[in-house]
């Protein structure tokens, strides 16, 4: 078990480094650079700026310099915003994105699992069909359609919540973004739960438990739940990835000061180090999450444990 | 019971206090900006988003008024020497920075020298002030710049050569003063909240990246009494659809743009909130002069029907170019003759086709070109029309959409055939428009070359006689049109969304609306 943890952890760091290196070089393939503007810079100014940021050095030298700084926790400066360090932006944006994603995940899991379970228990009833149709809609409708619709309906027409902005994290400002972010994941979780629950409820060990006269509640919450949680948890790895990429759209649509905007604006402006900094953070989160999911398997599924022994 | 009575008394007192609060409540204005400022150092700012905020925080020697006209700022008056080379400014007495430090002519000397230092990274053209070019190239010391503090209240600028629009140019964001004491104390990071010191109507209170920039009234501003709004929030809203929703919900008082697709709806339902600035700038079709033969360029010039594009295809608030390249803002500027004048569209197409055949193309041998555009709704609509119009004259020009950096990079590395471009001139003057095509200029993506054109532009700078200057500029414009160096498309107007509760708004070709001229009715 310990060896398993060690093995999985030791792959994580090289994965992270590979992602960063690949991103660094891939970004340079896009035409143009941070100093290409609508009003072009005069040649001596451009030269002075490139010298200041070391952009006139060969790419490999720049890469080495970047990794050396990264090892010391320095993400480097922003090329587009003089005087700002990438760390400033990440420190400002990360709490916002993280909070949104955390609430969305909580909502998705705490509502999705019960909904899926209810649908499974009443499978093929009208309630089940209604719930699963709603889930299908949630999966099919892209966030960049859903978010503006929610904003228009509840914000502009009904005036119940603010249309956008963060307002320092006021609850009213979080309702729509968290909802828009969570709904597709919630829908997936509900469907997976339903499917897994139906399968589990028909399996042999449940039939035995029923035959033994075990109360339904105990069957559900003590025995059926673990096999159901396994596919849900294995979904949560890519699900979290979906939350992160979805947050870019949500932050744009609602005007929230999260990290997603830096991704998009940084790429469009060719602010290489800002984009890299955001990639580092996202990659670290995803690698960690996948690691946690893998370790959770070992906890939830005894078969994994015995395989490793 | 006694406790209840006490509680209700407390509540009553609190209620009364709250009811009387509006008397001291601060007036707040919520403005949508098109994006996050790249920086708040006036000498490094290159973007319209920055300029709007910077002109709130800082005030130059002269300042744009609510209608865009240049008026006294830090300087209450100025004189120009007879040869037009020396400008002497008399500063207002007792000018202060927002932290209370005195603002004198010495600060201005520092600011101008820093502006011309290549290390500062300012993109301002250094050729105007004496020795500016040499300093920028590192060939002269910064203290040789033609600026002097005659005494703490008098500041003098000496130019390389006389230039009529100089005073107007001085109101541009580049020439806003910077605080020497703050820069020396904080270095590069001086332009941040808590460190930024300014001299305008407002000072920087908060800058939360991607969330808002908050500026509050500067008590040390010389006209603080005339400023009626206490606090302004600038929200960086890149998505115009989002900004529009927020405006409709009442969360924004002003928004600096609008979603183009909603224009018909806005005109019908928000007519009293829709304000248009006739910008001093234009959009044009950049032609790669090195790649395209003059006959081809003339054919394109004839084939493009700007009125159809603007009025029927885009249906925007812009004005199609029908006469010349220079906007009609100058009553005494002589008119140019354009090759499209007095001809019907059929005649123009026939003429264009003849030119194309002469150049070696025909209906079976079309010229294949890439029409480069940025991802803007107006440009995409225009490109569709242009492709169709050029097809009539044996040119196959499908559109090639790219993001901003890719487009600009292609343009200025001359890696394009034809492209839609546009820009706003820093000053309302014909020369500033024609400068975009000055041979050898960094801004001249078309690589238009004409010794006669450059000579006429230079001649306009050598004379101090207004009529003579306009004549030279007119001649330059005529040469550019005759050579078909560029095909101008439309003079663009900038649309704003402004709540009817905001008063003091005036049309401005500078597209600048500093809050100090505005007030909110409650």
């Amino acid at each position: 078990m310990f060896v398993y943890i060690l093995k999985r952890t030791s792959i994580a760091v090289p994965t992270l480094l590979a992602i960063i290196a690949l991103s660094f070089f891939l970004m340079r393939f896009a035409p143009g650079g941070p100093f290409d503007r609508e009003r072009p810079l005069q040649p001596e100014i451009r030269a002075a700026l490139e010298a200041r940021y070391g952009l006139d050095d060969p790419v490999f030298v720049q890469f080495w310099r970047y990794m050396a700084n990264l090892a010391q926790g320095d993400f480097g400066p922003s090329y587009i915003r003089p005087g700002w360090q990438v760390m400033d932006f990440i420190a400002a944006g990360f709490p916002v994105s993280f909070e949104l994603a955390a609430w969305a995940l909580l909502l998705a899991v705490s509502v999705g699992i019960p909904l899926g379970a209810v649908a499974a228990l009443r499978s093929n009833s009208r309630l089940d069909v209604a719930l699963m149709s709603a889930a299908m809609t949630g999966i099919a409708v892209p966030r960049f359609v859903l978010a503006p619709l929610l904003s228009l309906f509840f914000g502009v027409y009904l005036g119940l919540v603010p249309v956008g902005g963060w307002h320092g994290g006021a609850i009213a400002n979080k309702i729509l973004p968290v909802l828009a972010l969570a709904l597709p994941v919630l829908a997936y979780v509900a469907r997976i739960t339903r499917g897994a629950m139906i399968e589990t409820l028909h399996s042999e060990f449940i039939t035995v438990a029923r035959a033994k006269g075990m109360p339904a509640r105990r069957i559900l919450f003590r025995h059926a739940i673990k096999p159901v949680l396994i596919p849900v948890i294995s979904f949560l790895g890519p699900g979290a990835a979906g939350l992160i990429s979805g947050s870019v759209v949500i932050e744009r649509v609602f005007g929230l000061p999260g990290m997603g905007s830096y991704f998009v604006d940084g790429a469009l402006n060719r602010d290489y180090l800002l984009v890299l900094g955001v990639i580092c953070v996202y990659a670290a989160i995803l690698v960690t999450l996948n690691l946690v999911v893998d370790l959770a398997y070992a906890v939830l599924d005894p078969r994994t444990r015995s395989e490793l022994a | 019971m006694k406790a209840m009575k006490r509680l209700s008394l407390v509540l009553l007192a609190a209620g009364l206090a709250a009811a009387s609060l509006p008397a001291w409540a601060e007036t707040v204005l919520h403005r949508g900006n098109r994006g996050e400022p790249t920086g708040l150092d006036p000498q490094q700012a290159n973007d319209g988003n920055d300029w709007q905020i910077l002109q709130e925080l800082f005030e130059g020697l002269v300042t744009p008024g609510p209608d865009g006209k240049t008026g006294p700022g830090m300087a209450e008056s100025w004189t120009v020497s007879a040869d037009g080379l020396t400008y002497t400014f008399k500063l207002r007495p007792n000018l202060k920075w927002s932290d209370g430090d005195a603002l004198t002519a010495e600060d201005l000397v520092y600011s101008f020298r820093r502006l011309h230092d290549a290390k500062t990274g300012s993109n301002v053209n250094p050729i105007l002030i004496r020795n500016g070019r040499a300093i920028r190239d590192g060939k002269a010391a910064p203290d040789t710049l033609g600026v002097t503090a005659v005494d703490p209240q008098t500041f003098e600028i000496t130019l390389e050569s006389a230039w009529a629009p100089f005073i107007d140019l001085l109101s541009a964001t580049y020439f806003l003063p910077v605080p020497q004491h703050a820069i020396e104390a904080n270095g590069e990071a001086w332009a941040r909240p808590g460190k930024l010191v300014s001299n305008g109507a407002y000072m920087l209170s908060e800058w939360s990246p991607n969330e808002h920039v908050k500026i509050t009234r500067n008590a040390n501003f010389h006209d603080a009494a005339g400023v009626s709004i206490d606090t302004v929030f600038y929200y960086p809203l890149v998505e115009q659809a989002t900004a529009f929703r927020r405006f409709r919900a009442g969360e924004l008082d002003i928004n600096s743009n609008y979603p183009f697709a909603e224009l018909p709806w806005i005109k019908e339902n928000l007519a009293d909130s829709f304000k248009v600035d006739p910008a001093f700038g234009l959009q044009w079709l950049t032609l790669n002069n090195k790649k395209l033969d003059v006959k081809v360029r003339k054919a394109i010039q004839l084939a493009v029907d700007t009125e159809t594009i603007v009025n029927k295809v885009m249906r925007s608030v812009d004005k199609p170019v029908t006469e010349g390249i220079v906007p009609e803002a100058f009553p005494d500027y002589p008119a140019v003759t354009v090759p499209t004048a007095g001809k019907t569209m059929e005649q123009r197409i026939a003429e264009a086709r003849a030119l194309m055949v002469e150049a070696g193309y025909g209906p079976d041998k079309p010229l294949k070109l890439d029409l480069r555009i940025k991802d803007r709704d107006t440009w995409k609509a225009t490109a569709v029309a242009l492709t169709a119009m050029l097809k009539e004259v044996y040119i196959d020009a499908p559109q090639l959409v790219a993001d901003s950096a890719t487009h600009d990079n292609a343009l200025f590395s001359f890696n394009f055939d034809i492209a839609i471009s546009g820009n706003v001139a820093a000053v309302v003057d014909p020369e500033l428009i024609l400068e975009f095509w000055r041979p050898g200029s960094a801004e001249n993506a078309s690589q238009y070359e004409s010794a006669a054109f450059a000579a006429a532009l230079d001649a306009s700078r050598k004379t101090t006689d207004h009529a003579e200057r306009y004549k030279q500029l007119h001649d330059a414009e005529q040469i550019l049109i005759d050579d078909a160096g560029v095909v101008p498309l439309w003079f663009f107007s900038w649309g704003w969304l402004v709540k009817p509760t905001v008063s003091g708004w005036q049309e401005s070709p500078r597209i600048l609306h500093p809050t100090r001229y505005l007030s909110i009715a409650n």
Side-chain angles (χ1 to χ4, degrees), chain A residues 31 36-42 44-45 52 81-84 151 162-165 168 252-253 257 261-262 270, chain B residues 37-38 46 119 122-123 133 136 188 192 209-210 242 245 249 251 374 376 403 406 408-409 423-424 442-443:
Chain A
D36 279 302
R37 311 257 168 83
E38 207 162 77
R39 294 301 283 263
L41 290 176
Q42 284 158 40
E44 71 273 9
I45 298 298
R52 182 199 300 183
R81 311 247 160 88
W84 287 81
S151 167
V163 173
R252 263 296 231 268
V253 169
S261 321
Y262 299 135
R270 310 289 192 271
Chain B
T38 59
N46 233 343
K119 284 201 291 301
S122 169
N123 201 31
R133 178 85 255 170
R136 177 69 76 75
E188 265 252 332
R192 305 276 290 272
N210 254 348
T242 305
R245 276 195 299 275
E251 290 172 26
K374 285 191 194 181
R376 288 187 195 165
D403 65 285
T406 309
D408 292 329
N409 177 260
N423 231 316
V424 187
E443 306 215 359

Side-chain angles (χ1 to χ4, degrees), chain B residues 45-56 173-174 512:
Chain B
N46 233 343
D47 200 276
N49 299 331
D50 309 341
W51 297 342
Q52 181 62 60
I53 299 180
L54 285 167
Q55 291 275 4
E56 309 263 34
T173 314
Y174 297 122
L512 269 178

Side-chain angles (χ1 to χ4, degrees), chain B residues 253-297:
Chain B
D253 298 301
I254 299 177
N255 190 39
S256 70
N257 210 341
Y258 62 97
F260 180 62
E262 305 281 356
L263 183 58
W265 191 93
I266 293 174
K267 279 187 176 160
E268 225 185 277
N269 299 295
L270 284 178
D272 55 353
S273 300
F274 188 54
K275 305 266 191 269
V276 177
D277 282 334
F280 191 68
L282 78 157
Q283 310 275 44
W284 62 80
L285 190 61
T286 309
L287 308 172
N288 189 333
N289 276 251
K290 286 257 149 71
K291 239 182 166 182
L292 301 176
D293 177 66
V294 61
K295 297 200 175 78
V296 173
R297 302 200 309 259

Side-chain angles (χ1 to χ4, degrees), chain A residues 89-153:
Chain A
F89 292 115
I90 293 182
F94 181 73
V96 175
S97 297
F98 182 75
E99 202 184 327
L100 278 180
W103 283 116
L105 194 61
L106 193 63
L107 184 67
V109 168
S110 62
V111 176
I113 293 180
L115 277 185
V118 165
L121 289 172
R122 304 223 193 310
S123 69
N124 296 324
S125 69
R126 267 195 264 175
L127 179 64
D128 177 29
V129 171
L131 281 174
M132 286 304 111
S133 308
M136 217 45 224
T137 316
I139 295 171
V141 177
R143 280 198 184 89
F144 59 82
V145 172
L146 189 63
L149 279 178
L150 286 175
S151 167
L152 193 64
F153 191 66

